[in-house]
């Protein structure tokens, strides 16, 4: 409600949204709900897409509604208090660094964010002449930083084994496990292990759903569900032996696309907390809410500065979309840590939009020799794992064409001569060359905020480009590849949403398409989800075919033929939803049976 905010904000945040009402898509966690702001995203032009996604990002900074405080938010007293407590625990390790370690861990986007933040804070410590104390873990190892390997986050045992390796011989280890939807088994296993070994480990769970919405289906190689792990952590928080940081930040602009708001909120929350710990420990004082609020305001300012450039962001989006439409490539070339943001954005287009790894790709210009845990994992692994300056010069630059787009991402204190030289080489091949340049005077942002600003621009551009290509239905990405358990449950929720049919019918249809042409036997139906994912991961258009067979009550070959004859997946489904004999259900999710267990 207007005029009831506790804090002074740099930006105007949207009024509390319909998603906060307790009955809105009640069966679905916040991170998987559809955002009411973007329900017509597929009808928007480039300028409108930027405006809508900017509004979604602003929801991160919303305070809890005074009239209906349904969920705790980033600025809620409970969240700020926990952030101060965790900052205090980090300070204890900074004060006695011998045998101390801070581990940031996650799968997919969360793991890449863990990588970025551990690199940044180690650089910060080296710059102050201190011994670096941060490390990261990502499901699937270093290759997952630069390539899409989403299946690796489904193993709790893998998470524990990786944690044991990096923590060997340490006396005090803070493990910050990041899982946006409170769903990744990789993180659940680590948190459980830490709680069993509190003499050395302190677990901190970061995500953006209430614990009551954490995933509750069995983890195949573990004896607890994610929700049970999170509930145990909440109990241990009373004695400060574990912490849960899980403010709601609202649904994603593109439903379930946690690379966007989930990734940004992770960065904002953890960098605020960690910066507060470092800033105050150097001055010999405890971290305070006031210190947190000062840092949070700089992130709000990053939003203001970023979206003040909306017309230019929209122009870049149209350019990227045009290149992709003509079957060209988009190369995001970033200097230093901005190159990591570029790599992240490119990799995430693969599983989000079913893109080829060559469609949108990031490259890192500058020295990365001390960034990775296992650099050998990335050497000579083939084109999918190439990301360096040398890779760009040898395997991309010589083959650029006029339909490709290259975006340079740098700060004005980077080596501008190097930027200029590379730009001239690129210009010989294509005129579609754009710059995302951060100033260091006037409206300039500090390092962490420049990274966030870059992330917001690139996420908006790559998401918007795929919206303009007709890949999105309302605000859902229908044609995603089912590459892990989270995406299996999301696929099921979408089938229920758009077909209005029961969970049992939707599971049956989904499994039929996954295993086609093999008929479904009771053995297949009873198989663990990982078996279905292993097969689905290799197949295209599983969800649209299953949905069409549900809508038309037809066979799989008939649904495949209907899809093949349509101009696009979304057109096929739109026509099926509005065609004769189909009554469009206003919001099937209001009556949905729980899809995400």
């Amino acid at each position: 409600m207007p005029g009831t905010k506790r804090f002074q904000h740099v930006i105007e945040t949207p009024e509390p949204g319909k998603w906060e009402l307790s009955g809105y898509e009640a069966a679905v966690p916040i991170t998987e709900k559809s955002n009411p702001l973007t329900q017509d995203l597929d009808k928007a032009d480039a300028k409108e897409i930027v405006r809508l996604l900017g509004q979604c990002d602003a929801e991160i900074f919303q305070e809890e509604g005074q009239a209906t405080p349904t969920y705790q938010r980033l600025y809620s007293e409970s969240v700020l208090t926990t952030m101060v407590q965790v900052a205090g625990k980090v300070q204890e390790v900074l004060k006695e660094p011998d045998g101390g370690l801070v581990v940031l861990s996650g799968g997919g986007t969360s793991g890449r964010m863990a990588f970025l933040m551990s690199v940044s804070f180690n650089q910060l410590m080296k710059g102050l002449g201190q011994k670096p104390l941060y490390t990261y873990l990502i499901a699937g190892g270093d290759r997952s930083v630069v390539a899409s390997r989403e299946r690796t986050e489904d193993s709790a045992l893998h998470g524990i084994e990786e944690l044991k390796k990096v923590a060997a011989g340490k006396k005090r280890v803070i493990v910050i496990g990041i899982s946006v939807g409170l769903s990744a088994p990789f993180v659940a296993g680590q948190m459980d292990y830490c709680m069993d070994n509190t003499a050395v480990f302190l677990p901190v769970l970061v995500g953006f759903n209430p614990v009551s919405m954490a995933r509750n289906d069995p983890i195949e190689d573990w004896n607890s569900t994610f929700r049970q792990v999170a509930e145990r952590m909440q109990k241990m928080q009373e004695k400060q032996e574990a912490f849960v940081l899980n403010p709601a930040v609202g649904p994603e602009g593109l439903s379930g696309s946690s690379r966007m708001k989930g990734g940004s909120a992770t960065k904002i929350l953890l960098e605020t907390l960690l910066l507060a710990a470092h800033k105050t420990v150097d001055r010999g004082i405890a971290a305070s809410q006031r210190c947190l609020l000062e840092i949070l305001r700089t992130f709000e300012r990053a939003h203001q500065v970023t979206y003040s450039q909306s017309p230019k962001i929209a122009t870049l989006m149209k350019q990227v979309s045009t290149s992709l439409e003509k079957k060209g490539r988009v190369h995001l070339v970033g200097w230093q840590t901005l190159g990591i943001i570029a790599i992240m954005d490119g990799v995430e287009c693969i599983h989000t939009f079913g893109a080829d790894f060559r469609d949108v790709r990031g490259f890192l210009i500058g020295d990365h020799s001390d960034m990775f845990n296992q650099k050998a994992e990335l050497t000579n692994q083939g084109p999918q794992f190439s990301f360096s300056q040398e890779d760009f010069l040898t395997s991309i630059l010589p083959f650029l064409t006029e339909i490709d787009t290259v975006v340079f991402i740098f700060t004005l204190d980077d080596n501008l001569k190097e930027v200029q030289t590379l730009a001239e080489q690129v210009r010989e091949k294509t005129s579609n060359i754009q710059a995302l340049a951060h100033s260091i005077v006037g409206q300039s942002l500090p390092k962490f905020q420049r990274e966030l600003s870059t992330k917001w621009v690139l996420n908006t551009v790559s998401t918007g480009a795929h919206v303009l290509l007709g890949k999105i239905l309302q605000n859902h990405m229908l044609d995603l590849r089912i590459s892990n358990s989270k995406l299996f449950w999301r696929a099921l929720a979408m089938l229920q949403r758009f077909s209005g049919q029961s969970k049992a019918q939707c599971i049956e249809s989904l499994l039929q398409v996954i295993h086609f042409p093999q008929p479904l036997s009771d053995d297949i139906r009873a198989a663990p989800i990982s078996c279905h994912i292993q097969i689905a991961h290799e197949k295209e258009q599983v969800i649209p075919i299953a949905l069409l067979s549900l809508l038309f009550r037809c066979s799989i070959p008939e649904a495949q033929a209907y899809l093949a004859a349509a101009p696009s997946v979304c057109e096929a489904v739109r026509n099926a939803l509005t065609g004769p004999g189909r009554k469009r259900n206003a919001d099937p999710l209001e009556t949905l049976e729980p899809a995400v267990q």
Side-chain angles (χ1 to χ4, degrees):
M1 287 173 59
T4 53
K5 290 184 174 145
R6 288 172 58 217
F7 302 109
Q8 197 179 356
H9 291 271
V10 177
I11 60 167
E12 268 302 308
T13 56
E15 290 303 310
K18 184 180 158 192
W19 62 268
E20 292 197 54
L21 303 173
S22 57
Y24 180 76
E25 297 183 358
V28 185
I30 295 170
T31 56
E32 295 284 326
K33 290 184 196 291
S34 66
N35 196 316
L37 289 171
T38 56
Q39 61 190 10
D40 293 321
L41 187 67
D42 56 345
K43 298 191 183 94
D45 63 12
K47 276 187 182 159
E48 182 67 358
I49 293 169
V50 177
R51 188 184 72 79
L52 291 170
L53 295 181
Q55 274 193 311
C56 287
D57 287 331
E59 286 184 317
I60 294 172
F61 303 104
Q62 241 174 8
E63 291 188 34
E64 61 190 54
Q66 302 297 314
T68 53
T70 322
Y71 303 113
Q72 56 170 4
R73 310 299 296 272
L74 184 57
Y75 283 100
S76 297
E77 188 66 30
S78 56
V79 173
L80 292 169
T81 299
T82 306
M83 287 172 77
V84 169
Q85 290 169 337
V86 175
K89 297 292 184 185
V90 172
Q91 285 187 324
E92 289 171 20
V93 172
L94 293 175
K95 282 178 196 160
E96 292 185 35
D98 286 348
L101 184 68
V102 179
V103 181
L104 296 154
S105 177
T109 295
S110 297
R112 292 177 200 107
M113 214 29 102
F115 168 73
L116 171 71
M117 290 187 288
S118 84
V119 166
S120 292
F121 280 96
N122 280 342
Q123 286 176 350
L124 179 95
M125 293 188 80
K126 282 182 202 160
L128 295 168
Q130 297 166 355
K131 178 173 155 264
L133 282 179
Y134 289 85
T135 192
Y136 65 92
L137 291 172
I138 179 167
D142 280 349
R143 275 182 269 183
S144 298
V145 175
V146 300
S148 179
R149 304 171 80 234
E150 307 307 299
R151 274 171 73 193
T152 53
E153 69 182 57
D154 275 347
S155 168
L157 289 174
H158 168 49
I160 293 169
E161 288 312 311
E162 293 299 304
L163 177 58
K164 283 181 181 171
K165 279 186 221 166
V166 295
K170 299 291 179 187
K171 296 201 280 284
R172 190 66 182 142
V173 183
I174 297 175
V175 183
I176 300 173
I178 309 160
S179 177
V180 167
L182 302 188
S183 62
F186 180 80
V187 170
Q190 292 171 343
M191 297 292 97
D192 232 2
Y193 177 77
C194 291
M195 287 189 284
D196 290 341
N197 296 278
T198 52
V200 174
F201 292 95
L202 175 73
V204 180
L205 175 61
V206 174
F208 302 98
N209 280 323
V211 166
S212 62
M213 292 183 180
R215 205 102 129 253
N216 208 29
D217 54 299
I219 294 172
E220 284 181 24
D221 62 356
W222 202 241
N223 50 12
S224 305
T225 69
F226 200 113
R227 191 181 302 173
Q228 288 165 338
V229 172
E231 285 169 348
R232 185 181 169 204
M233 290 183 77
Q234 282 183 315
K235 284 199 185 76
M236 288 178 69
Q237 186 160 335
E238 293 160 20
K239 290 188 276 186
Q240 295 206 9
E241 289 180 342
F243 294 94
V244 181
L245 271 168
N246 61 329
V249 294
E252 295 288 355
L254 178 64
S255 300
S257 184
S258 55
R259 79 190 191 109
M260 297 171 74
K261 204 193 284 193
S264 302
T266 298
K267 185 170 165 45
I268 292 163
L269 186 148
L270 284 175
E271 287 178 349
T272 297
L273 177 165
L274 295 170
L275 275 170
H278 282 271
K279 277 187 169 181
T280 48
V281 80
D282 293 340
R283 305 209 301 268
I285 54 173
S288 65
Q289 274 200 22
R290 189 176 154 205
C291 182
L292 293 177
L293 292 168
E294 279 173 16
I295 299 166
L296 284 172
R297 284 172 64 80
T298 64
F299 283 114
E300 282 197 27
R301 209 172 129 258
H303 184 281
Q304 184 186 42
V305 170
T306 304
Y307 285 102
S308 69
Q309 303 291 317
S310 287
K312 290 179 181 173
I313 299 172
T315 302
L316 179 57
M317 183 193 296
K318 285 189 279 196
Q319 174 62 61
V320 166
S321 189
T322 302
S323 272
L324 293 175
E325 189 176 22
K326 292 177 176 172
K327 300 287 181 267
R329 312 284 194 212
V330 177
H331 304 289
L332 311 171
V333 181
W335 270 254
Q336 319 309 334
T337 53
L338 300 183
I340 299 175
I341 304 278
I343 290 165
M344 287 169 69
D345 196 80
V347 169
E348 285 152 8
C349 286
I350 300 168
H351 59 268
T352 307
F353 304 110
D356 185 274
F357 78 89
R358 298 175 200 85
D359 287 355
V360 182
R361 286 181 82 178
F363 292 89
L364 190 161
I365 308 292
D367 181 24
H368 57 268
S369 55
D370 60 351
M371 287 185 181
F372 292 93
N373 289 340
Q374 301 285 329
K375 183 99 192 307
E377 277 194 22
L378 297 169
T379 315
N380 303 324
Q381 292 293 323
Q384 208 175 335
F385 300 99
S386 59
F387 66 91
S388 69
Q389 183 167 358
E390 189 187 352
D391 292 326
F392 181 77
L393 292 172
T394 56
S395 59
I396 302 295
L397 185 63
F399 307 104
L400 282 175
T401 69
E402 189 51 49
I403 56 171
D404 297 330
T405 295
V406 180
V407 184
F408 286 114
I409 306 152
F410 57 93
T411 304
L412 294 180
D413 59 357
D414 283 318
N415 183 341
L416 295 184
K417 198 165 174 36
E418 188 179 43
V419 177
Q420 193 177 354
T421 305
L422 197 50
E424 283 164 6
Q425 289 174 286
V426 167
R427 192 165 273 119
E428 288 171 19
K429 301 279 189 177
T430 177
S431 56
N432 302 325
I433 180 167
Q434 306 273 349
L436 203 174
H438 291 277
S439 168
I440 41 171
V441 293
Q443 273 278 60
S444 68
L445 295 167
K447 172 194 182 301
F448 292 107
Q449 289 75 2
R450 287 198 298 257
E451 291 168 359
L452 180 64
S453 175
T454 301
K455 179 182 182 298
W456 273 329
V457 172
L458 295 184
N459 285 175
T460 299
V461 165
S462 59
T463 299
H466 285 93
V467 172
L468 295 175
L469 288 172
K471 289 249 183 183
I472 310 300
L473 183 67
Q474 295 169 12
N475 53 8
H476 295 272
M477 178 58 207
L478 265 191
D479 195 12
L480 52 84
R481 247 177 220 263
I482 301 173
S483 53
N484 61 25
S485 57
K486 174 179 77 176
L487 297 176
F488 181 90
W489 293 114
R490 185 180 305 162
L492 185 59
M494 280 197 284
L495 292 179
Q496 288 179 264
R497 173 190 294 274
F498 287 111
S499 74
Q501 295 186 34
S502 72
K503 183 180 177 184
Q505 287 169 303
C506 292
I507 287 181
E508 184 75 3
S509 178
L510 184 58
L511 295 185
Q512 280 175 344
V513 177
I514 289 171
H515 294 279
F516 185 82
Q518 189 180 354
L520 277 192
S521 63
D522 287 344
D523 282 353
I524 292 177
R525 287 187 185 93
I529 286 180
S530 58
C531 296
H532 306 312
I533 292 165
Q534 203 166 354
I535 297 165
H537 169 67
E538 303 296 334
K539 290 197 167 182
E540 291 182 351
Q541 302 186 322
V542 168
I543 303 165
I545 291 166
L547 180 56
L548 290 170
S549 78
L550 284 165
L551 291 173
F552 290 132
R553 291 181 164 78
C554 68
S555 69
I556 291 165
E558 286 171 322
Q560 287 171 325
Y562 183 85
L563 190 58
S568 73
V569 165
C570 289
E571 277 308 298
V573 174
R574 255 188 220 107
N575 292 339
L577 286 168
T578 55
R582 267 299 304 163
K583 246 172 83 179
R584 181 71 191 281
N585 193 335
D587 192 350
L589 267 191
E590 302 298 358
T591 55
L592 191 68
E593 300 169 37
V596 182
Q597 299 280 301

